[in-house]
Amino acid sequence: MSNPDAERTFIAVKPDGVQRGLISNILSRFEQRGFKLVGIKLVTPTENLLKQHYAEHVEKSFFPKMLSYMMSGPILATVWEGKDVVKQGRAILGATNPLNSAPGTIRGDLAIDMGRNVVHGSDSVESAEREINLWFKKEELIDWKLNQLAWIYE
């Protein structure tokens, strides 16, 4: 990573966000905040990938429905880099339940139902690393210099 204070996070636009044409709106919120996009691809996830991604939920009663939903269409997988990006990314997304999300957040502005909450974001630095490695090969992540860094960070 070109910025020593930077960390990376995994943000996915779920099938409902892709189908509703919200990709550019979601990407622009991260770009406007000053985070750097280092990985992006449109994918149709496999059941195996989703079971690994949501390993902590596989045995829960809601998992089959969530699995079906997550396999219902393409997902935009992204990796963002910046200072405190995991925590800040979660703040940009809003609460998991859109009805508890503040206006101005992605879920607060663009979603109503928890089962169609538009986006996923890593909840910790450790989760981010695991999720990034699940969804991206190392060579798919681009380490590049954002020329605006001096205008974003002191």
Side-chain angles (χ1 to χ4, degrees):
M1 287 184 265
S2 51
N3 178 354
D5 293 330
E7 61 187 32
R8 288 182 173 175
T9 194
F10 176 76
I11 303 291
V13 180
K14 295 179 179 180
D16 55 320
V18 174
Q19 290 289 345
R20 291 177 54 202
L22 301 175
I23 289 173
S24 62
N25 182 315
I26 292 163
L27 295 178
S28 71
R29 291 174 188 236
F30 283 85
E31 285 184 319
Q32 288 170 353
R33 183 73 188 268
F35 294 119
K36 180 173 71 170
L37 183 64
V38 296
I40 186 169
K41 62 183 176 180
L42 193 63
V43 298
T44 302
T46 63
E47 183 174 336
N48 183 47
L49 173 63
L50 291 168
K51 283 182 174 177
Q52 290 178 67
H53 180 87
Y54 290 113
E56 69 276 15
H57 299 305
V58 170
E59 299 301 322
K60 296 182 180 166
S61 61
F62 65 82
F63 185 75
K65 187 176 179 182
M66 183 174 70
L67 180 66
S68 175
Y69 153 64
M70 291 296 287
M71 292 179 69
S72 68
I75 290 173
L76 185 76
T78 66
V79 179
W80 294 89
E81 184 178 295
K83 186 176 184 178
D84 200 30
V85 72
V86 173
K87 181 180 172 190
Q88 298 307 315
R90 297 284 290 185
I92 291 168
L93 300 184
T96 303
N97 183 341
L99 296 178
N100 297 331
S101 291
T105 65
I106 290 169
R107 291 176 178 143
D109 290 349
L110 306 174
I112 296 171
D113 192 56
M114 192 153 122
R116 298 291 181 268
N117 67 1
V118 182
V119 285
H120 164 85
S122 302
D123 62 5
S124 68
V125 173
E126 296 76 26
S127 291
E129 187 174 324
R130 183 181 68 80
E131 292 170 354
I132 290 166
N133 289 330
L134 273 175
W135 290 82
F136 287 87
K137 297 174 187 161
K138 192 174 195 119
E139 61 270 15
E140 293 176 311
L141 301 176
I142 308 301
D143 192 19
W144 59 285
K145 183 179 181 205
L146 181 64
N147 290 328
Q148 301 170 5
L149 281 180
W151 301 107
I152 296 169
Y153 299 103
E154 286 186 86

mmCIF file of all heavy atoms in Angstrom, residues 25-69:
data_model
loop_
_atom_site.group_PDB
_atom_site.id
_atom_site.type_symbol
_atom_site.label_atom_id
_atom_site.label_comp_id
_atom_site.label_asym_id
_atom_site.label_seq_id
_atom_site.Cartn_x
_atom_site.Cartn_y
_atom_site.Cartn_z
ATOM 1 N N ASN A 25 -23.769 5.301 -7.764
ATOM 2 C CA ASN A 25 -24.095 6.067 -6.565
ATOM 3 C C ASN A 25 -23.244 5.582 -5.390
ATOM 4 O O ASN A 25 -22.666 6.390 -4.653
ATOM 5 C CB ASN A 25 -25.595 5.912 -6.254
ATOM 6 C CG ASN A 25 -26.052 6.709 -5.063
ATOM 7 O OD1 ASN A 25 -25.415 6.730 -4.024
ATOM 8 N ND2 ASN A 25 -27.193 7.351 -5.209
ATOM 9 N N ILE A 26 -23.147 4.274 -5.232
ATOM 10 C CA ILE A 26 -22.394 3.693 -4.114
ATOM 11 C C ILE A 26 -20.901 3.949 -4.265
ATOM 12 O O ILE A 26 -20.234 4.390 -3.325
ATOM 13 C CB ILE A 26 -22.726 2.197 -3.983
ATOM 14 C CG1 ILE A 26 -24.193 2.046 -3.537
ATOM 15 C CG2 ILE A 26 -21.769 1.497 -3.023
ATOM 16 C CD1 ILE A 26 -24.794 0.680 -3.736
ATOM 17 N N LEU A 27 -20.355 3.717 -5.465
ATOM 18 C CA LEU A 27 -18.927 3.962 -5.693
ATOM 19 C C LEU A 27 -18.576 5.429 -5.458
ATOM 20 O O LEU A 27 -17.533 5.737 -4.874
ATOM 21 C CB LEU A 27 -18.526 3.550 -7.111
ATOM 22 C CG LEU A 27 -18.621 2.074 -7.477
ATOM 23 C CD1 LEU A 27 -18.224 1.867 -8.936
ATOM 24 C CD2 LEU A 27 -17.768 1.216 -6.560
ATOM 25 N N SER A 28 -19.439 6.315 -5.907
ATOM 26 C CA SER A 28 -19.130 7.744 -5.786
ATOM 27 C C SER A 28 -19.045 8.193 -4.327
ATOM 28 O O SER A 28 -18.261 9.077 -4.001
ATOM 29 C CB SER A 28 -20.150 8.591 -6.541
ATOM 30 O OG SER A 28 -21.407 8.580 -5.896
ATOM 31 N N ARG A 29 -19.798 7.576 -3.448
ATOM 32 C CA ARG A 29 -19.741 7.961 -2.027
ATOM 33 C C ARG A 29 -18.368 7.675 -1.435
ATOM 34 O O ARG A 29 -17.846 8.449 -0.642
ATOM 35 C CB ARG A 29 -20.833 7.253 -1.234
ATOM 36 C CG ARG A 29 -22.225 7.753 -1.593
ATOM 37 C CD ARG A 29 -23.294 6.942 -0.905
ATOM 38 N NE ARG A 29 -24.617 7.298 -1.383
ATOM 39 C CZ ARG A 29 -25.610 7.694 -0.590
ATOM 40 N NH1 ARG A 29 -25.415 7.820 0.711
ATOM 41 N NH2 ARG A 29 -26.779 7.972 -1.095
ATOM 42 N N PHE A 30 -17.781 6.544 -1.826
ATOM 43 C CA PHE A 30 -16.439 6.208 -1.338
ATOM 44 C C PHE A 30 -15.382 7.092 -1.995
ATOM 45 O O PHE A 30 -14.459 7.558 -1.329
ATOM 46 C CB PHE A 30 -16.143 4.718 -1.567
ATOM 47 C CG PHE A 30 -16.840 3.831 -0.571
ATOM 48 C CD1 PHE A 30 -18.147 3.426 -0.777
ATOM 49 C CD2 PHE A 30 -16.194 3.442 0.591
ATOM 50 C CE1 PHE A 30 -18.803 2.623 0.148
ATOM 51 C CE2 PHE A 30 -16.839 2.645 1.531
ATOM 52 C CZ PHE A 30 -18.150 2.238 1.303
ATOM 53 N N GLU A 31 -15.517 7.329 -3.289
ATOM 54 C CA GLU A 31 -14.569 8.201 -3.987
ATOM 55 C C GLU A 31 -14.643 9.627 -3.447
ATOM 56 O O GLU A 31 -13.603 10.254 -3.203
ATOM 57 C CB GLU A 31 -14.847 8.209 -5.487
ATOM 58 C CG GLU A 31 -14.399 6.953 -6.189
ATOM 59 C CD GLU A 31 -14.610 7.023 -7.688
ATOM 60 O OE1 GLU A 31 -15.648 7.528 -8.148
ATOM 61 O OE2 GLU A 31 -13.710 6.561 -8.407
ATOM 62 N N GLN A 32 -15.837 10.146 -3.272
ATOM 63 C CA GLN A 32 -15.997 11.521 -2.784
ATOM 64 C C GLN A 32 -15.439 11.689 -1.380
ATOM 65 O O GLN A 32 -14.940 12.746 -1.029
ATOM 66 C CB GLN A 32 -17.470 11.923 -2.822
ATOM 67 C CG GLN A 32 -17.982 12.135 -4.221
ATOM 68 C CD GLN A 32 -19.495 12.304 -4.285
ATOM 69 O OE1 GLN A 32 -20.203 12.147 -3.304
ATOM 70 N NE2 GLN A 32 -19.991 12.611 -5.463
ATOM 71 N N ARG A 33 -15.494 10.639 -0.583
ATOM 72 C CA ARG A 33 -14.954 10.697 0.768
ATOM 73 C C ARG A 33 -13.432 10.770 0.746
ATOM 74 O O ARG A 33 -12.804 11.273 1.663
ATOM 75 C CB ARG A 33 -15.447 9.484 1.565
ATOM 76 C CG ARG A 33 -15.018 9.442 3.004
ATOM 77 C CD ARG A 33 -15.758 10.464 3.870
ATOM 78 N NE ARG A 33 -15.221 10.538 5.190
ATOM 79 C CZ ARG A 33 -15.645 9.820 6.229
ATOM 80 N NH1 ARG A 33 -16.649 8.987 6.089
ATOM 81 N NH2 ARG A 33 -15.078 9.946 7.405
ATOM 82 N N GLY A 34 -12.825 10.253 -0.336
ATOM 83 C CA GLY A 34 -11.371 10.294 -0.458
ATOM 84 C C GLY A 34 -10.715 8.931 -0.413
ATOM 85 O O GLY A 34 -9.485 8.840 -0.395
ATOM 86 N N PHE A 35 -11.509 7.862 -0.405
ATOM 87 C CA PHE A 35 -10.933 6.523 -0.411
ATOM 88 C C PHE A 35 -10.525 6.120 -1.821
ATOM 89 O O PHE A 35 -11.084 6.598 -2.800
ATOM 90 C CB PHE A 35 -11.907 5.510 0.204
ATOM 91 C CG PHE A 35 -12.146 5.767 1.670
ATOM 92 C CD1 PHE A 35 -13.413 6.057 2.142
ATOM 93 C CD2 PHE A 35 -11.098 5.747 2.570
ATOM 94 C CE1 PHE A 35 -13.630 6.317 3.486
ATOM 95 C CE2 PHE A 35 -11.297 6.005 3.924
ATOM 96 C CZ PHE A 35 -12.572 6.288 4.376
ATOM 97 N N LYS A 36 -9.530 5.243 -1.896
ATOM 98 C CA LYS A 36 -8.955 4.827 -3.174
ATOM 99 C C LYS A 36 -9.444 3.431 -3.533
ATOM 100 O O LYS A 36 -9.314 2.497 -2.741
ATOM 101 C CB LYS A 36 -7.426 4.852 -3.073
ATOM 102 C CG LYS A 36 -6.713 4.440 -4.337
ATOM 103 C CD LYS A 36 -5.208 4.653 -4.244
ATOM 104 C CE LYS A 36 -4.555 3.681 -3.318
ATOM 105 N NZ LYS A 36 -3.087 3.711 -3.391
ATOM 106 N N LEU A 37 -9.984 3.290 -4.733
ATOM 107 C CA LEU A 37 -10.420 2.003 -5.253
ATOM 108 C C LEU A 37 -9.200 1.231 -5.744
ATOM 109 O O LEU A 37 -8.459 1.712 -6.597
ATOM 110 C CB LEU A 37 -11.413 2.225 -6.400
ATOM 111 C CG LEU A 37 -12.037 0.992 -7.025
ATOM 112 C CD1 LEU A 37 -12.903 0.242 -6.019
ATOM 113 C CD2 LEU A 37 -12.877 1.391 -8.232
ATOM 114 N N VAL A 38 -8.977 0.033 -5.188
ATOM 115 C CA VAL A 38 -7.813 -0.761 -5.597
ATOM 116 C C VAL A 38 -8.208 -2.104 -6.218
ATOM 117 O O VAL A 38 -7.355 -2.817 -6.729
ATOM 118 C CB VAL A 38 -6.819 -0.981 -4.429
ATOM 119 C CG1 VAL A 38 -6.232 0.345 -3.986
ATOM 120 C CG2 VAL A 38 -7.450 -1.726 -3.278
ATOM 121 N N GLY A 39 -9.502 -2.442 -6.184
ATOM 122 C CA GLY A 39 -9.975 -3.675 -6.806
ATOM 123 C C GLY A 39 -11.453 -3.580 -7.107
ATOM 124 O O GLY A 39 -12.213 -3.067 -6.281
ATOM 125 N N ILE A 40 -11.860 -4.047 -8.289
ATOM 126 C CA ILE A 40 -13.267 -4.009 -8.666
ATOM 127 C C ILE A 40 -13.547 -5.075 -9.729
ATOM 128 O O ILE A 40 -12.752 -5.252 -10.652
ATOM 129 C CB ILE A 40 -13.686 -2.610 -9.181
ATOM 130 C CG1 ILE A 40 -15.197 -2.538 -9.426
ATOM 131 C CG2 ILE A 40 -12.876 -2.192 -10.376
ATOM 132 C CD1 ILE A 40 -15.702 -1.114 -9.677
ATOM 133 N N LYS A 41 -14.662 -5.798 -9.542
ATOM 134 C CA LYS A 41 -15.093 -6.743 -10.565
ATOM 135 C C LYS A 41 -16.546 -7.135 -10.317
ATOM 136 O O LYS A 41 -17.016 -7.173 -9.185
ATOM 137 C CB LYS A 41 -14.198 -7.983 -10.616
ATOM 138 C CG LYS A 41 -14.165 -8.824 -9.353
ATOM 139 C CD LYS A 41 -13.185 -9.969 -9.529
ATOM 140 C CE LYS A 41 -13.035 -10.780 -8.268
ATOM 141 N NZ LYS A 41 -12.089 -11.893 -8.438
ATOM 142 N N LEU A 42 -17.229 -7.404 -11.420
ATOM 143 C CA LEU A 42 -18.605 -7.874 -11.378
ATOM 144 C C LEU A 42 -18.550 -9.396 -11.422
ATOM 145 O O LEU A 42 -17.951 -9.964 -12.336
ATOM 146 C CB LEU A 42 -19.384 -7.321 -12.571
ATOM 147 C CG LEU A 42 -20.893 -7.461 -12.533
ATOM 148 C CD1 LEU A 42 -21.497 -6.680 -11.375
ATOM 149 C CD2 LEU A 42 -21.495 -6.985 -13.852
ATOM 150 N N VAL A 43 -19.135 -10.051 -10.420
ATOM 151 C CA VAL A 43 -19.035 -11.504 -10.328
ATOM 152 C C VAL A 43 -20.387 -12.135 -10.022
ATOM 153 O O VAL A 43 -21.253 -11.502 -9.398
ATOM 154 C CB VAL A 43 -18.024 -11.944 -9.244
ATOM 155 C CG1 VAL A 43 -16.634 -11.462 -9.560
ATOM 156 C CG2 VAL A 43 -18.432 -11.467 -7.870
ATOM 157 N N THR A 44 -20.533 -13.374 -10.454
ATOM 158 C CA THR A 44 -21.654 -14.200 -10.026
ATOM 159 C C THR A 44 -21.048 -15.195 -9.044
ATOM 160 O O THR A 44 -20.314 -16.102 -9.458
ATOM 161 C CB THR A 44 -22.299 -14.925 -11.223
ATOM 162 O OG1 THR A 44 -22.723 -13.941 -12.163
ATOM 163 C CG2 THR A 44 -23.502 -15.742 -10.776
ATOM 164 N N PRO A 45 -21.298 -15.022 -7.757
ATOM 165 C CA PRO A 45 -20.629 -15.862 -6.768
ATOM 166 C C PRO A 45 -21.151 -17.300 -6.780
ATOM 167 O O PRO A 45 -22.326 -17.543 -7.061
ATOM 168 C CB PRO A 45 -20.953 -15.182 -5.441
ATOM 169 C CG PRO A 45 -22.240 -14.485 -5.694
ATOM 170 C CD PRO A 45 -22.207 -14.065 -7.137
ATOM 171 N N THR A 46 -20.266 -18.216 -6.457
ATOM 172 C CA THR A 46 -20.653 -19.613 -6.324
ATOM 173 C C THR A 46 -21.179 -19.857 -4.913
ATOM 174 O O THR A 46 -20.917 -19.072 -3.989
ATOM 175 C CB THR A 46 -19.447 -20.542 -6.562
ATOM 176 O OG1 THR A 46 -18.474 -20.284 -5.532
ATOM 177 C CG2 THR A 46 -18.840 -20.333 -7.943
ATOM 178 N N GLU A 47 -21.882 -20.960 -4.762
ATOM 179 C CA GLU A 47 -22.374 -21.338 -3.429
ATOM 180 C C GLU A 47 -21.205 -21.538 -2.475
ATOM 181 O O GLU A 47 -21.255 -21.111 -1.323
ATOM 182 C CB GLU A 47 -23.206 -22.621 -3.540
ATOM 183 C CG GLU A 47 -23.817 -23.051 -2.232
ATOM 184 C CD GLU A 47 -24.761 -24.235 -2.372
ATOM 185 O OE1 GLU A 47 -25.306 -24.463 -3.476
ATOM 186 O OE2 GLU A 47 -24.949 -24.941 -1.362
ATOM 187 N N ASN A 48 -20.133 -22.160 -2.961
ATOM 188 C CA ASN A 48 -18.958 -22.402 -2.133
ATOM 189 C C ASN A 48 -18.338 -21.085 -1.643
ATOM 190 O O ASN A 48 -17.998 -20.951 -0.466
ATOM 191 C CB ASN A 48 -17.922 -23.226 -2.906
ATOM 192 C CG ASN A 48 -16.720 -23.571 -2.059
ATOM 193 O OD1 ASN A 48 -16.840 -24.020 -0.929
ATOM 194 N ND2 ASN A 48 -15.543 -23.344 -2.617
ATOM 195 N N LEU A 49 -18.192 -20.113 -2.532
ATOM 196 C CA LEU A 49 -17.637 -18.811 -2.146
ATOM 197 C C LEU A 49 -18.501 -18.155 -1.073
ATOM 198 O O LEU A 49 -17.998 -17.649 -0.067
ATOM 199 C CB LEU A 49 -17.518 -17.889 -3.361
ATOM 200 C CG LEU A 49 -17.102 -16.441 -3.074
ATOM 201 C CD1 LEU A 49 -15.712 -16.365 -2.469
ATOM 202 C CD2 LEU A 49 -17.171 -15.612 -4.337
ATOM 203 N N LEU A 50 -19.806 -18.179 -1.268
ATOM 204 C CA LEU A 50 -20.710 -17.538 -0.305
ATOM 205 C C LEU A 50 -20.716 -18.265 1.049
ATOM 206 O O LEU A 50 -20.808 -17.624 2.095
ATOM 207 C CB LEU A 50 -22.115 -17.442 -0.883
ATOM 208 C CG LEU A 50 -22.235 -16.456 -2.050
ATOM 209 C CD1 LEU A 50 -23.575 -16.623 -2.749
ATOM 210 C CD2 LEU A 50 -22.028 -15.023 -1.587
ATOM 211 N N LYS A 51 -20.579 -19.581 1.023
ATOM 212 C CA LYS A 51 -20.504 -20.335 2.284
ATOM 213 C C LYS A 51 -19.229 -19.984 3.041
ATOM 214 O O LYS A 51 -19.235 -19.917 4.270
ATOM 215 C CB LYS A 51 -20.595 -21.836 2.028
ATOM 216 C CG LYS A 51 -22.009 -22.292 1.745
ATOM 217 C CD LYS A 51 -22.084 -23.793 1.539
ATOM 218 C CE LYS A 51 -23.535 -24.240 1.413
ATOM 219 N NZ LYS A 51 -23.642 -25.686 1.152
ATOM 220 N N GLN A 52 -18.141 -19.750 2.321
ATOM 221 C CA GLN A 52 -16.906 -19.319 2.978
ATOM 222 C C GLN A 52 -17.039 -17.886 3.494
ATOM 223 O O GLN A 52 -16.620 -17.573 4.606
ATOM 224 C CB GLN A 52 -15.731 -19.407 2.003
ATOM 225 C CG GLN A 52 -15.319 -20.817 1.655
ATOM 226 C CD GLN A 52 -14.184 -20.808 0.653
ATOM 227 O OE1 GLN A 52 -13.076 -20.386 0.968
ATOM 228 N NE2 GLN A 52 -14.468 -21.255 -0.567
ATOM 229 N N HIS A 53 -17.624 -17.029 2.659
ATOM 230 C CA HIS A 53 -17.782 -15.627 3.027
ATOM 231 C C HIS A 53 -18.652 -15.473 4.276
ATOM 232 O O HIS A 53 -18.341 -14.691 5.168
ATOM 233 C CB HIS A 53 -18.395 -14.848 1.859
ATOM 234 C CG HIS A 53 -18.591 -13.396 2.155
ATOM 235 N ND1 HIS A 53 -17.594 -12.465 1.941
ATOM 236 C CD2 HIS A 53 -19.636 -12.719 2.671
ATOM 237 C CE1 HIS A 53 -18.039 -11.275 2.312
ATOM 238 N NE2 HIS A 53 -19.268 -11.404 2.750
ATOM 239 N N TYR A 54 -19.759 -16.194 4.309
ATOM 240 C CA TYR A 54 -20.714 -16.113 5.423
ATOM 241 C C TYR A 54 -20.601 -17.322 6.350
ATOM 242 O O TYR A 54 -21.602 -17.790 6.888
ATOM 243 C CB TYR A 54 -22.141 -16.002 4.878
ATOM 244 C CG TYR A 54 -22.457 -14.688 4.222
ATOM 245 C CD1 TYR A 54 -22.709 -14.606 2.860
ATOM 246 C CD2 TYR A 54 -22.523 -13.512 4.974
ATOM 247 C CE1 TYR A 54 -23.012 -13.389 2.251
ATOM 248 C CE2 TYR A 54 -22.820 -12.293 4.378
ATOM 249 C CZ TYR A 54 -23.061 -12.239 3.023
ATOM 250 O OH TYR A 54 -23.364 -11.038 2.421
ATOM 251 N N ALA A 55 -19.386 -17.824 6.567
ATOM 252 C CA ALA A 55 -19.157 -19.042 7.347
ATOM 253 C C ALA A 55 -19.847 -19.009 8.713
ATOM 254 O O ALA A 55 -20.387 -20.020 9.160
ATOM 255 C CB ALA A 55 -17.656 -19.283 7.516
ATOM 256 N N GLU A 56 -19.875 -17.852 9.356
ATOM 257 C CA GLU A 56 -20.474 -17.752 10.701
ATOM 258 C C GLU A 56 -21.989 -17.872 10.676
ATOM 259 O O GLU A 56 -22.617 -18.047 11.721
ATOM 260 C CB GLU A 56 -20.055 -16.442 11.395
ATOM 261 C CG GLU A 56 -20.644 -15.186 10.791
ATOM 262 C CD GLU A 56 -19.892 -14.612 9.600
ATOM 263 O OE1 GLU A 56 -19.041 -15.302 9.007
ATOM 264 O OE2 GLU A 56 -20.172 -13.452 9.253
ATOM 265 N N HIS A 57 -22.606 -17.808 9.485
ATOM 266 C CA HIS A 57 -24.067 -17.858 9.370
ATOM 267 C C HIS A 57 -24.602 -19.153 8.754
ATOM 268 O O HIS A 57 -25.818 -19.348 8.710
ATOM 269 C CB HIS A 57 -24.572 -16.687 8.521
ATOM 270 C CG HIS A 57 -24.248 -15.346 9.083
ATOM 271 N ND1 HIS A 57 -24.589 -14.957 10.358
ATOM 272 C CD2 HIS A 57 -23.587 -14.294 8.531
ATOM 273 C CE1 HIS A 57 -24.166 -13.730 10.569
ATOM 274 N NE2 HIS A 57 -23.548 -13.299 9.479
ATOM 275 N N VAL A 58 -23.721 -20.028 8.278
ATOM 276 C CA VAL A 58 -24.135 -21.213 7.516
ATOM 277 C C VAL A 58 -25.163 -22.063 8.266
ATOM 278 O O VAL A 58 -26.102 -22.578 7.654
ATOM 279 C CB VAL A 58 -22.912 -22.065 7.100
ATOM 280 C CG1 VAL A 58 -23.322 -23.399 6.524
ATOM 281 C CG2 VAL A 58 -22.070 -21.297 6.100
ATOM 282 N N GLU A 59 -25.038 -22.199 9.556
ATOM 283 C CA GLU A 59 -25.945 -23.058 10.331
ATOM 284 C C GLU A 59 -27.212 -22.331 10.799
ATOM 285 O O GLU A 59 -28.093 -22.950 11.385
ATOM 286 C CB GLU A 59 -25.214 -23.639 11.547
ATOM 287 C CG GLU A 59 -24.017 -24.513 11.189
ATOM 288 C CD GLU A 59 -24.386 -25.715 10.316
ATOM 289 O OE1 GLU A 59 -25.460 -26.309 10.543
ATOM 290 O OE2 GLU A 59 -23.607 -26.039 9.396
ATOM 291 N N LYS A 60 -27.323 -21.049 10.536
ATOM 292 C CA LYS A 60 -28.484 -20.277 10.997
ATOM 293 C C LYS A 60 -29.680 -20.481 10.077
ATOM 294 O O LYS A 60 -29.532 -20.756 8.886
ATOM 295 C CB LYS A 60 -28.111 -18.802 11.128
ATOM 296 C CG LYS A 60 -27.045 -18.591 12.207
ATOM 297 C CD LYS A 60 -26.680 -17.152 12.397
ATOM 298 C CE LYS A 60 -25.616 -17.042 13.485
ATOM 299 N NZ LYS A 60 -24.986 -15.752 13.501
ATOM 300 N N SER A 61 -30.866 -20.324 10.625
ATOM 301 C CA SER A 61 -32.101 -20.608 9.880
ATOM 302 C C SER A 61 -32.293 -19.702 8.663
ATOM 303 O O SER A 61 -32.889 -20.115 7.675
ATOM 304 C CB SER A 61 -33.311 -20.492 10.813
ATOM 305 O OG SER A 61 -33.401 -19.178 11.332
ATOM 306 N N PHE A 62 -31.778 -18.492 8.710
ATOM 307 C CA PHE A 62 -31.966 -17.555 7.597
ATOM 308 C C PHE A 62 -30.987 -17.786 6.446
ATOM 309 O O PHE A 62 -31.134 -17.217 5.363
ATOM 310 C CB PHE A 62 -31.869 -16.098 8.065
ATOM 311 C CG PHE A 62 -30.509 -15.707 8.591
ATOM 312 C CD1 PHE A 62 -29.473 -15.344 7.740
ATOM 313 C CD2 PHE A 62 -30.260 -15.703 9.958
ATOM 314 C CE1 PHE A 62 -28.225 -14.979 8.221
ATOM 315 C CE2 PHE A 62 -29.014 -15.337 10.456
ATOM 316 C CZ PHE A 62 -27.991 -14.978 9.585
ATOM 317 N N PHE A 63 -29.968 -18.625 6.656
ATOM 318 C CA PHE A 63 -28.906 -18.764 5.661
ATOM 319 C C PHE A 63 -29.386 -19.243 4.289
ATOM 320 O O PHE A 63 -28.984 -18.654 3.276
ATOM 321 C CB PHE A 63 -27.762 -19.644 6.170
ATOM 322 C CG PHE A 63 -26.618 -19.692 5.203
ATOM 323 C CD1 PHE A 63 -25.760 -18.609 5.079
ATOM 324 C CD2 PHE A 63 -26.417 -20.786 4.381
ATOM 325 C CE1 PHE A 63 -24.712 -18.620 4.163
ATOM 326 C CE2 PHE A 63 -25.378 -20.805 3.460
ATOM 327 C CZ PHE A 63 -24.521 -19.724 3.360
ATOM 328 N N PRO A 64 -30.231 -20.278 4.184
ATOM 329 C CA PRO A 64 -30.645 -20.713 2.840
ATOM 330 C C PRO A 64 -31.306 -19.590 2.022
ATOM 331 O O PRO A 64 -31.028 -19.442 0.829
ATOM 332 C CB PRO A 64 -31.635 -21.855 3.122
ATOM 333 C CG PRO A 64 -31.214 -22.381 4.453
ATOM 334 C CD PRO A 64 -30.754 -21.169 5.224
ATOM 335 N N LYS A 65 -32.139 -18.792 2.668
ATOM 336 C CA LYS A 65 -32.797 -17.680 1.972
ATOM 337 C C LYS A 65 -31.762 -16.635 1.546
ATOM 338 O O LYS A 65 -31.808 -16.119 0.424
ATOM 339 C CB LYS A 65 -33.860 -17.067 2.882
ATOM 340 C CG LYS A 65 -34.712 -16.023 2.217
ATOM 341 C CD LYS A 65 -35.806 -15.542 3.156
ATOM 342 C CE LYS A 65 -36.642 -14.473 2.494
ATOM 343 N NZ LYS A 65 -37.681 -13.963 3.385
ATOM 344 N N MET A 66 -30.809 -16.328 2.440
ATOM 345 C CA MET A 66 -29.765 -15.354 2.125
ATOM 346 C C MET A 66 -28.879 -15.877 0.990
ATOM 347 O O MET A 66 -28.524 -15.125 0.072
ATOM 348 C CB MET A 66 -28.912 -15.049 3.355
ATOM 349 C CG MET A 66 -27.854 -13.990 3.096
ATOM 350 S SD MET A 66 -26.933 -13.460 4.547
ATOM 351 C CE MET A 66 -25.957 -14.889 4.904
ATOM 352 N N LEU A 67 -28.554 -17.163 1.018
ATOM 353 C CA LEU A 67 -27.731 -17.769 -0.023
ATOM 354 C C LEU A 67 -28.420 -17.654 -1.387
ATOM 355 O O LEU A 67 -27.804 -17.250 -2.374
ATOM 356 C CB LEU A 67 -27.452 -19.234 0.317
ATOM 357 C CG LEU A 67 -26.593 -20.015 -0.669
ATOM 358 C CD1 LEU A 67 -25.171 -19.463 -0.715
ATOM 359 C CD2 LEU A 67 -26.575 -21.484 -0.281
ATOM 360 N N SER A 68 -29.703 -17.957 -1.419
ATOM 361 C CA SER A 68 -30.476 -17.870 -2.657
ATOM 362 C C SER A 68 -30.476 -16.442 -3.196
ATOM 363 O O SER A 68 -30.271 -16.208 -4.390
ATOM 364 C CB SER A 68 -31.899 -18.358 -2.405
ATOM 365 O OG SER A 68 -32.688 -18.180 -3.535
ATOM 366 N N TYR A 69 -30.696 -15.490 -2.308
ATOM 367 C CA TYR A 69 -30.688 -14.069 -2.678
ATOM 368 C C TYR A 69 -29.325 -13.642 -3.213
ATOM 369 O O TYR A 69 -29.218 -12.988 -4.256
ATOM 370 C CB TYR A 69 -31.100 -13.243 -1.469
ATOM 371 C CG TYR A 69 -30.576 -11.832 -1.393
ATOM 372 C CD1 TYR A 69 -30.937 -10.867 -2.332
ATOM 373 C CD2 TYR A 69 -29.732 -11.448 -0.359
ATOM 374 C CE1 TYR A 69 -30.457 -9.570 -2.236
ATOM 375 C CE2 TYR A 69 -29.266 -10.156 -0.260
ATOM 376 C CZ TYR A 69 -29.617 -9.226 -1.202
ATOM 377 O OH TYR A 69 -29.152 -7.939 -1.105
#
